[in-house]
Amino acid sequence: MDRQHNREAEWMLFAIILCLSNWSAAQISYSVSEEVDKGTVVGNLAKDLNINTQQLEERGFRIVSGYSKSYFEANLRTGALSVTERIDREELCPNLPKCSLNIEGLLSHPMNIYRIEVSIVDINDNAPSFLEQIHVFNISESSSTGERYPLPAARDADTGSNSVKTYKLSTNEHFSIDVSSGGHGVSAELVLQKALDREKQAMIKLTLTAVDGGKPARSGTVQILVNVIDVNDNTPSFSKSLHKVSISENVSIGTTILKLNATDLDAGQNSDIRYSLMRRGNVDSPEKFTVIPESGEIIVKANLDYEENNAYELRVRATDQGTSPRSGYSKVLVEVIDVNDNAPEISVTSLMSPVKENAEIGTVVALVTVTDKDGAQNGITTCKIKDSIPFKLTSNYKNYYSLIVDGILDREVVPQYNITITATDEGSPRLSSTAVINVHISDINDNAPSFPDSNINVYVKENSKVGDVITTTTAQDADTNENAKLTYSLMDSSPRNIPISSILNINSETGDIITLQSFNYEELKTFQFKVQATDSGVPPLNSNVTVNVLILDENDNNPTILAPYSEHGSVNSESIPYSAEAGYFVAKIRAVDADSGYNALLTYHLSEPKGNNLFRIGTSTGEIRTKRRMSDNDLKTHPLVVLVSDNGEPSLSATVSIEVVVVESTADIHTQFRHVPIKEDSFSDLNLYLLIAIVSVSVIFLLSLVSLIAVRCHRTDGSFSKYSAPMITTHPDGSWSYSKSTQQYDVCFSSDTLKSDVVVFPTSFPPVDAELISINGGDTFTKTQTLPSKEKIFYTVNPKDSGHS
């Protein structure tokens, strides 16, 4: 063991030296016979390597070997390579025709390696041998001459000419030996030369000798015993040499399918027959069937399957029980009859999924193959699709089908089909199976974006911040992926010749509409534009929605005093007679407000000196009248300040100053516009004028009422027609009803401040809501308000009304 470890260490050192040194190598060959004595010289290394012996010793020449034993060593003084261990070729190279030992010679300083191959020459040191000492033959006395019987083969560990070369048989009168040689060595057969007679010689002893080719030759022997068997000269025979039987594949295990009967003309043991099945190669007949030895009944031993094997061939042997048994043979063909025990099998190949929704009728989606392991009618199948779907099966060849498109596909209606295919055979009973094919429908851009409504009404507060989102337009697309990815854009329109792109911007991804400027209700009350939604399909599809923008008023305008009076800062003068009765008409203040709704609903108040209770003003009419008759204690001049306020939040106002002068008679009263004195005797003419004025106003009121009813009954449907026009109605008691709306109005009045009145002509515009304000005769306000239907207001605003006076 220590020696082996030393060898391994030497080889590791040798490998390290090879890696780290500059070395050179040469190779020489020697040969030596096995089993030579120790010390036998194999060759002279110094001579063969052309190295003098002095260098061998100085450079530390040594032999390195990878074997467990060190078979050789070098004499450094003479350079001779000699044997140090017993060499057994059969141990080193068993069963090999050539044997050699490879060793290395190692020189140091500088490093040199010499490869040395020593061929081991075989000698004839092994004799042939047999595996058994006695080999027995039972040969019937009825055997014919010339019959051959293979003799056992001998083994020889030597090779080449030293191996077995021939066989020899001891001298006898009945047998000879026939030796033959081939690629696998020499073999011998025993040949019957003369008929045997058991009565003369029941046993024959022979000696078989195997001889090798060595010099001298070596040999080995085995004893051959030939038992001469008495003649059983009748062989069992079957009634038929071929039997046929048919059985169903679902036959039960243990069922007898056939009973064989063989006969033997011999008597005694020579006619006692036993039956058996012969195994023939890989045929599994004995695995499925068995035979009862005594009766010859063939029974089923395992389950049969027509689909695995539809026929079996059995070889039955009938052997008598004679001393030298003889056998007869018969063939049994078993036909397996199919039953319908296998359902059809459906396989799907070349599935092309997804399928585009615009696929043409006839487009192949998948290939379907139907197989049935059963035979005949049991294996004939039909295939069909379950349910009514836009696909069908077409037969290509026998049980090969194509699944094709057979109708219009629409991914938006049905994005996926689970197609159930049913295959049914023609057996009895019928068997069927199903398979489900999942076919996905891929999208094409066949749906344009759609908005929930065709119109969107947006209410925007005037003076709103720049950058506010006033609304979000959202469209839906029934397609998917890129075909449903939408971008939004503004379709340019020009309210008052202003490009919409300078007023609004739209987020192309979200549809948010953003203001680029602040709105002024008094300049722009409404405008409309279109938003276009475009998908990303190829080609792209789009749709539009109309957006109506309604500007909501804020209270950002003060009331304006109309002529003939001017606002606070200048004094306006009016005269009244001393004899004026209570309720005498002094003057009428008229004002307008550019705002709308409550922001333009004006009220009038007197800012009087403390203790002055001579005059009053209608809060809604602006008419200044006397409260009572005058007394001597009253002043002759009364400065009045009229405050006109709107109803916005916060409220804005304007003031006007009027100086009322009390005169002794009506002749001294002058109006600003007449510039002619009123005569004392013209009182009757004034009554006539008043009557004409009253009739005129009544006629105008009736005409206005009829016109209003006609307009309401014959309203046309425009872009804003679903909203009612604003309306101001004068009640018989002198109050007004005001329908809240954004409006413009024209004011008409006469040159006579005493008789002039205001007629307001509102313009058509959609209201923010349906609020109605009623001003009754008592100068109080009644307000009724309903919210607009189906409109989304994006800003919460104060109610707005157009005012009038």
Side-chain angles (χ1 to χ4, degrees):
M1 195 71 180
D2 293 338
R3 189 173 182 180
Q4 182 177 357
H5 288 319
N6 291 336
R7 293 296 182 186
E8 292 177 354
E10 288 179 358
W11 274 105
M12 291 178 62
L13 178 62
F14 173 65
I16 294 172
I17 293 173
L18 287 180
C19 295
L20 300 178
S21 304
N22 180 20
W23 57 275
S24 60
Q27 179 170 336
I28 58 177
S29 298
Y30 297 109
S31 63
V32 64
S33 296
E34 64 172 330
E35 304 292 351
V36 296
D37 296 332
K38 294 181 181 180
T40 301
V41 175
V42 178
N44 192 305
L45 294 173
K47 178 180 178 182
D48 295 332
L49 296 177
N50 197 22
I51 302 173
N52 60 51
T53 56
Q54 184 178 356
Q55 284 186 338
L56 290 177
E57 194 169 1
E58 291 176 353
R59 295 175 63 183
F61 182 83
R62 58 195 175 113
I63 297 298
V64 179
S65 171
Y67 301 99
S68 60
K69 295 181 180 180
S70 178
Y71 291 98
F72 304 97
E73 67 177 0
N75 189 325
L76 300 184
R77 293 191 303 272
T78 63
L81 180 67
S82 59
V83 177
T84 60
E85 292 285 346
R86 173 180 171 273
I87 300 175
D88 187 352
R89 190 198 66 80
E90 287 74 33
E91 179 184 345
L92 288 175
C93 309
N95 303 319
L96 294 179
K98 182 180 179 182
C99 182
S100 62
L101 294 175
N102 293 310
I103 59 176
E104 284 79 24
L106 184 65
L107 278 176
S108 303
H109 312 298
M111 177 65 66
N112 286 93
I113 295 174
Y114 301 94
R115 302 186 187 279
I116 303 170
E117 180 184 30
V118 180
S119 297
I120 308 304
V121 180
D122 183 45
I123 63 173
N124 193 22
D125 57 343
N126 291 280
S129 63
F130 293 90
L131 295 178
E132 54 190 350
Q133 294 180 351
I134 298 175
H135 188 79
V136 178
F137 286 101
N138 294 318
I139 302 176
S140 174
E141 62 178 331
S142 63
S143 299
S144 303
T145 57
E147 289 188 5
R148 295 172 174 265
Y149 308 92
L151 291 169
R155 300 177 60 188
D156 195 326
D158 295 324
T159 61
S161 60
N162 295 325
S163 62
V164 176
K165 289 300 179 183
T166 188
Y167 292 92
K168 295 180 180 179
L169 188 66
S170 59
T171 304
N172 68 94
E173 62 177 334
H174 293 285
F175 297 95
S176 65
I177 188 170
D178 182 15
V179 179
S180 61
S181 60
H184 296 287
V186 180
S187 62
E189 290 180 322
L190 189 66
V191 182
L192 181 61
Q193 296 289 338
K194 181 180 178 181
L196 300 176
D197 187 350
R198 193 189 67 82
E199 287 71 27
K200 290 182 179 181
Q201 188 176 4
M203 178 183 294
I204 301 174
K205 294 183 179 180
L206 304 173
T207 301
L208 177 65
T209 303
V211 183
D212 63 23
K215 291 182 180 181
R218 289 176 176 266
S219 63
T221 62
V222 63
Q223 187 175 6
I224 304 297
L225 295 181
V226 179
N227 292 321
V228 181
I229 306 303
D230 192 20
V231 174
N232 181 17
D233 54 356
N234 288 284
T235 301
S237 63
F238 289 89
S239 59
K240 293 190 296 185
S241 61
L242 176 63
H243 297 80
K244 292 183 179 180
V245 62
S246 297
I247 57 174
S248 176
E249 66 173 322
N250 61 354
V251 65
S252 300
I253 295 176
T255 302
T256 300
I257 63 171
L258 181 65
K259 187 179 187 307
L260 297 172
N261 184 29
T263 58
D264 194 319
L265 298 179
D266 293 324
Q269 291 293 323
N270 292 334
S271 63
D272 187 7
I273 298 174
R274 297 290 184 269
Y275 300 91
S276 62
L277 293 180
M278 299 178 63
R279 181 177 295 276
R280 299 170 51 250
N282 294 326
V283 179
D284 60 354
S285 300
E287 301 294 333
K288 299 292 185 180
F289 303 93
T290 187
V291 63
I292 299 176
E294 293 80 9
S295 65
E297 292 178 320
I298 299 177
I299 61 175
V300 178
K301 188 171 73 170
N303 290 322
L304 304 180
D305 191 347
Y306 172 87
E307 289 70 41
E308 291 181 4
N309 199 341
N310 60 8
Y312 295 90
E313 180 181 305
L314 308 180
R315 290 296 180 97
V316 184
R317 176 171 54 198
T319 306
D320 60 29
Q321 301 301 301
T323 305
S324 178
R326 302 191 68 162
S327 300
Y329 302 92
S330 178
K331 182 186 295 184
V332 179
L333 294 180
V334 180
E335 180 187 6
V336 180
I337 300 174
D338 182 44
V339 295
N340 194 25
D341 58 346
N342 290 278
E345 296 180 359
I346 303 172
S347 61
V348 179
T349 59
S350 304
L351 176 61
M352 288 162 277
S353 179
V355 178
K356 286 190 175 182
E357 61 179 320
N358 64 343
E360 297 180 356
I361 294 177
T363 300
V364 177
V365 176
L367 299 179
V368 179
T369 303
V370 180
T371 57
D372 194 317
K373 293 180 180 179
D374 295 320
Q377 288 295 116
N378 296 331
I380 298 175
T381 60
T382 57
C383 193
K384 62 181 180 180
I385 292 179
K386 184 180 179 182
D387 301 327
S388 178
I389 56 175
F391 297 91
K392 72 174 182 179
L393 282 174
T394 59
S395 178
N396 297 333
Y397 172 74
K398 291 186 178 179
N399 293 332
Y400 296 90
Y401 300 87
S402 292
L403 178 65
I404 65 173
V405 177
D406 191 42
I408 303 301
L409 304 179
D410 190 344
R411 189 205 64 82
E412 289 70 41
V413 177
V414 182
Q416 176 182 343
Y417 289 92
N418 294 324
I419 304 173
T420 301
I421 298 177
T422 303
T424 306
D425 62 26
E426 299 294 328
S428 179
R430 291 173 178 260
L431 299 178
S432 63
S433 61
T434 60
V436 178
I437 302 176
N438 297 319
V439 178
H440 296 270
I441 309 301
S442 63
D443 186 48
I444 64 170
N445 194 27
D446 57 345
N447 289 278
S450 63
F451 289 92
D453 299 304
S454 59
N455 287 276
I456 300 175
N457 294 322
V458 181
Y459 300 94
V460 182
K461 199 174 182 181
E462 73 168 325
N463 302 319
S464 59
K465 294 180 182 179
V466 175
D468 283 351
V469 176
I470 64 172
T471 188
T472 299
T473 54
T474 303
Q476 302 295 328
D477 196 313
D479 295 320
T480 59
N481 300 327
E482 289 299 314
N483 295 331
K485 184 178 181 181
L486 304 182
T487 56
Y488 299 90
S489 61
L490 295 176
M491 296 184 68
D492 202 14
S493 63
S494 301
R496 295 193 176 185
N497 297 323
I498 301 173
I500 194 67
S501 59
S502 65
I503 301 175
L504 301 172
N505 190 20
I506 189 169
N507 187 316
S508 61
E509 294 182 358
T510 64
D512 293 342
I513 299 177
I514 305 167
T515 60
L516 298 179
Q517 67 177 38
S518 181
F519 297 101
N520 187 350
Y521 170 82
E522 287 71 38
E523 294 179 0
L524 181 64
K525 296 178 175 56
T526 179
F527 64 91
Q528 67 175 203
F529 59 92
K530 290 185 178 181
V531 174
Q532 184 177 82
T534 306
D535 60 31
S536 300
V538 179
L541 302 177
N542 59 69
S543 64
N544 304 328
V545 64
T546 299
V547 181
N548 302 313
V549 180
L550 312 174
I551 311 301
L552 303 180
D553 183 45
E554 278 193 328
N555 193 26
D556 57 349
N557 290 281
N558 291 342
T560 301
I561 306 299
L562 298 179
Y565 303 105
S566 59
E567 293 187 16
H568 189 68
S570 60
V571 178
N572 303 279
S573 180
E574 289 288 351
S575 300
I576 62 172
Y578 179 78
S579 61
E581 297 290 335
Y584 182 86
F585 181 84
V586 178
K588 183 168 186 174
I589 307 302
R590 301 174 181 85
V592 294
D593 195 314
D595 293 320
S596 174
Y598 277 106
N599 298 328
L601 182 60
L602 303 181
T603 58
Y604 301 84
H605 302 278
L606 283 178
S607 298
E608 343 179 52
K610 187 175 182 181
N612 185 351
N613 58 357
L614 181 59
F615 301 97
R616 65 179 176 85
I617 188 169
T619 57
S620 60
T621 63
E623 292 181 354
I624 302 174
R625 295 180 182 271
T626 58
K627 289 184 178 180
R628 57 178 172 78
R629 288 180 60 107
M630 296 188 188
S631 66
D632 293 338
N633 294 328
D634 291 325
L635 299 175
K636 300 301 180 182
T637 302
H638 299 271
L640 302 177
V641 177
V642 178
L643 176 67
V644 183
S645 302
D646 60 27
N647 279 268
E649 291 183 6
S651 177
L652 301 178
S653 62
T655 59
V656 58
S657 297
I658 299 178
E659 187 176 78
V660 180
V661 179
V662 180
V663 297
E664 292 298 329
S665 65
T666 58
D668 298 328
I669 297 175
H670 293 79
T671 65
Q672 290 180 327
F673 295 102
R674 286 199 179 115
H675 303 292
V676 293
I678 302 175
K679 297 180 180 180
E680 295 271 347
D681 58 355
S682 63
F683 180 75
S684 61
D685 293 336
L686 179 59
N687 290 337
L688 178 62
Y689 294 150
L690 288 174
L691 180 61
I692 295 173
I694 290 171
V695 172
S696 301
V697 170
S698 299
V699 172
I700 292 173
F701 169 73
L702 291 174
L703 291 175
S704 300
L705 183 60
V706 172
S707 300
L708 177 63
I709 294 173
V711 169
R712 291 177 64 87
C713 294
H714 296 85
R715 184 181 303 161
T716 58
D717 292 334
S719 60
F720 302 100
S721 63
K722 60 181 175 179
Y723 302 100
S724 61
M727 178 179 69
I728 300 175
T729 305
T730 303
H731 293 282
D733 61 358
S735 64
W736 289 356
S737 290
Y738 174 79
S739 178
K740 180 181 176 185
S741 169
T742 304
Q743 58 181 316
Q744 297 173 346
Y745 39 95
D746 299 324
V747 182
C748 301
F749 53 89
S750 69
S751 61
D752 190 345
T753 62
L754 299 178
K755 303 297 182 182
S756 61
D757 204 346
V758 177
V759 179
V760 179
F761 301 95
T763 59
S764 176
F765 192 77
V768 177
D769 54 27
E771 187 174 90
L772 184 67
I773 305 167
S774 176
I775 307 172
N776 56 32
D779 297 327
T780 60
F781 299 93
T782 302
K783 177 172 63 176
T784 304
Q785 180 176 6
T786 58
L787 295 176
S789 60
K790 298 183 181 178
E791 296 297 333
K792 186 174 181 182
I793 300 179
F794 291 85
Y795 292 87
T796 302
V797 299
N798 295 325
K800 297 185 176 132
D801 286 318
S802 294
H804 64 277
S805 60

